[in-house]
Amino acid sequence: MTVKTLFSTAFAAGSILLAGSMANAQSTTLTIACGAVGVEFEQCQADVQIWEEMTGHSVEILRLPDATNERLDLYQDLLSSESPDLDVYQLDVVWAGLLAHDLVDFTPYLDANSPEFFEGLIENNTIQDRLIALPWFIDTGLLYYRTDLLEAHGRSVPETWDELTETSRFIMQQEASGLSGDSLWGFVWQGDSYEGLTCDAIEWFHSYTGTTFVEPDLSITINQPGNVQALELATSWVGSISPPETVQHKEEDSRAIFQRGDAVFMRNWPYAWNTGQQEDSPIRGRIGIAPLPSGPAGSAACLGGWQLAVSRHSDNVDLAVDLVKFLTNEESQKRRALDSGYNPSIPALYDDADLLAEFPQFEQLVEVFQGGVARPASATGRGYPLVSRIIQRNVHRALTGDASAADALQNMQTQLVRQSHWYGHQPLP
Ligand code: GLC
């Protein structure tokens, strides 16, 4: 197995430079793209190695950038140039409709031994009757909190955004004169202008108004008084309970602060549990997870997660499908969950005794995992990246004080309407 690092400047579509393949004459070498957030990359290496040992083939791993937008740019370059250089793509849950044209249909490859994945994910990945990716792991936004700090200050886990705001302020004030000093923040989250902000924003907006920017019938519902209120609240966090740099934070920035012990609360995906509980983690044994706080319309967790797909332009489609089937099978998913805390995309694993012993919170959170709020990708299809960019940019302008929450939402509405001729699906070949 070899690892390829990718810097966008060094990359020319259709010509990834392979860093010394270890393949021998008898074996085939595949290339898979894997993320590197938390321990994602190491886990991918370990999984791939088992397949290599089982089959005698080799796999090169392309290390993906952390920002999902950058991953998408790379994929679009590769697929539009029909490059055979990348065989297996790690796909965000929001890209199925967008990239379907260049991906292999798994339907003929499935059999009685194939696992039963979450139905919603199979629907998500089925475009014009083609199953273009197999679900690998599921993500949903979660609230992480410091059990020791809440206990020391006699506070309970916040159930509403207002409670989270108030508890953060209170503990920060109390701790300013105590051990944590000024470095303790209340709440860390993802405020940079990228796909992660779209996820945080859908959680705020959906919890205030039950809306998702663009609804399944393509009506545009972003500009609502409740969403203005939600965005005003989020904006008020920046520089008060959240660091001013939040407007540049992605998942790993938030996790670094929380894991250092410098925040009471964090919004993040499930992977942060496992990393926070590692032996060298300063907060090991002092973390709790809960559903995100509610607004007037309840609590909302953005549905995320990653799928594995095979390029139609691969020279080794059958072998690449075999690798994907191996990585997504029940045994591999159980191992990934036990080793690194990735949430399986197979519902039966949530009743697995070994997994429940390791992650008792699975039982409490399975409803959150199953009830994630989807970003409007299925409805808007090839228009989704544009929708998401309109949300990210305008929300970001409000967070940085460049626009009022009301103006930002008015802009989002106008721009989403103006671009709506893009929404929909491209016919498949
Ligand atoms: C996580 C989610 C993915 C989302 C991304 C945003 O990786 O699984 O769906 O788009 O975060 O940063």
Side-chain angles (χ1 to χ4, degrees):
M1 171 174 40
T2 51
V3 174
K4 290 191 274 194
T5 316
L6 179 98
F7 299 101
S8 44
T9 46
F11 170 76
S15 64
I16 292 176
L17 299 175
L18 300 186
S21 164
M22 287 168 63
N24 61 43
Q26 290 79 41
S27 77
T28 299
T29 301
L30 294 178
T31 303
I32 184 173
C34 282
V37 173
V39 293
E40 200 178 6
F41 192 76
E42 292 71 23
Q43 186 64 51
C44 175
Q45 282 181 307
D47 294 336
V48 155
Q49 196 173 348
I50 301 175
W51 185 83
E52 286 179 322
E53 282 160 11
M54 274 170 45
T55 62
H57 296 293
S58 309
V59 182
E60 297 200 331
I61 307 182
L62 176 66
R63 191 186 183 102
L64 288 169
D66 285 355
T68 53
N69 315 36
E70 288 172 33
R71 297 181 185 185
L72 180 59
D73 291 345
L74 161 68
Y75 285 177
Q76 287 185 314
D77 282 346
L78 281 168
L79 292 172
S80 63
S81 63
E82 305 191 354
S83 166
D85 288 342
L86 185 58
D87 303 285
V88 179
Y89 284 65
Q90 180 182 332
L91 284 203
D92 197 343
V93 70
V94 285
W95 299 337
L98 193 65
L99 302 180
H101 184 270
D102 293 288
L103 301 174
V104 166
D105 180 10
F106 278 89
T107 318
Y109 293 97
L110 297 185
D111 53 37
N113 297 323
S114 303
E116 282 204 21
F117 298 101
F118 278 117
E119 238 171 75
L121 292 174
I122 293 296
E123 271 168 36
N124 180 79
N125 298 351
T126 303
I127 309 295
Q128 296 170 33
D129 297 329
R130 294 194 209 169
L131 178 61
I132 52 84
L134 296 185
W136 201 18
F137 61 93
I138 196 170
D139 266 341
T140 44
L142 295 170
L143 180 71
Y144 288 78
Y145 59 92
R146 286 278 299 283
T147 49
D148 55 337
L149 289 174
L150 289 188
E151 204 183 307
H153 296 285
R155 291 298 172 110
S156 47
V157 181
E159 289 187 2
T160 64
W161 292 114
D162 289 337
E163 269 172 45
L164 173 130
T165 311
E166 203 277 319
T167 302
S168 294
R169 280 212 185 100
F170 177 75
I171 297 183
M172 280 172 72
Q173 267 160 17
Q174 299 292 309
E175 291 276 322
S177 51
L179 280 182
S180 302
D182 286 342
S183 58
L184 185 74
W185 290 102
F187 183 35
V188 289
W189 43 280
Q190 298 77 47
D192 197 359
S193 183
Y194 78 118
E195 185 65 31
L197 182 55
T198 304
C199 296
D200 287 38
I202 207 168
E203 289 164 351
W204 309 328
F205 294 161
H206 198 275
S207 75
Y208 268 75
T209 58
T211 54
T212 56
F213 325 138
V214 181
E215 306 306 315
D217 66 359
L218 293 182
S219 55
I220 293 161
T221 50
I222 187 78
N223 197 14
Q224 312 240 351
N227 288 347
V228 176
Q229 239 182 306
L231 188 52
E232 278 171 351
L233 181 65
T235 302
S236 78
W237 294 332
V238 180
S240 61
I241 63 166
S242 307
E245 301 78 29
T246 303
V247 295
Q248 289 146 21
H249 283 173
K250 300 190 177 68
E251 286 83 355
E252 288 289 80
D253 305 300
S254 320
R255 184 172 74 83
I257 297 174
F258 187 73
Q259 197 160 318
R260 233 176 18 233
D262 288 346
V264 188
F265 300 111
M266 168 174 72
R267 183 268 174 217
N268 215 324
W269 306 104
Y271 82 94
W273 171 262
N274 191 270
T275 46
Q277 297 291 24
Q278 300 289 310
E279 260 167 41
D280 59 353
S281 162
I283 53 168
R284 178 181 159 94
R286 298 187 280 144
I287 321 171
I289 319 187
L292 285 164
S294 296
S299 163
C302 176
L303 174 68
W306 293 83
Q307 337 294 311
L308 291 176
V310 171
S311 164
R312 282 203 298 122
H313 315 297
S314 160
D315 291 330
N316 297 291
V317 166
D318 289 349
L319 199 61
V321 166
D322 188 73
L323 173 61
V324 170
K325 284 175 74 176
F326 169 78
L327 292 173
T328 56
N329 75 20
E330 193 159 328
E331 202 187 325
S332 299
Q333 290 210 32
K334 180 169 171 177
R335 188 180 50 251
R336 288 171 56 81
L338 285 172
D339 289 355
S340 303
Y342 286 103
N343 281 355
S345 59
I346 301 173
L349 283 172
Y350 290 83
D351 295 326
D352 184 277
D354 298 332
L355 282 184
L356 286 173
E358 185 74 18
F359 302 107
Q361 72 269 22
F362 262 22
E363 206 161 3
Q364 179 209 351
L365 294 174
V366 71
E367 280 177 25
V368 180
F369 298 151
Q370 291 183 21
V373 175
R375 285 160 276 171
S378 299
T380 57
R382 63 182 176 163
Y384 177 72
L386 200 56
V387 169
S388 182
R389 267 202 302 274
I390 291 171
I391 303 296
Q392 293 155 35
R393 287 190 185 150
N394 286 289
V395 168
H396 196 257
R397 278 171 55 76
L399 297 177
T400 53
D402 291 333
S404 68
D407 286 350
L409 282 152
Q410 176 62 59
N411 272 339
M412 289 185 237
Q413 180 84 22
T414 310
Q415 291 170 9
L416 288 174
V417 170
R418 194 181 301 139
Q419 300 296 347
S420 56
H421 59 280
W422 280 106
Y423 306 163
H425 293 274
Q426 191 186 9
L428 297 186

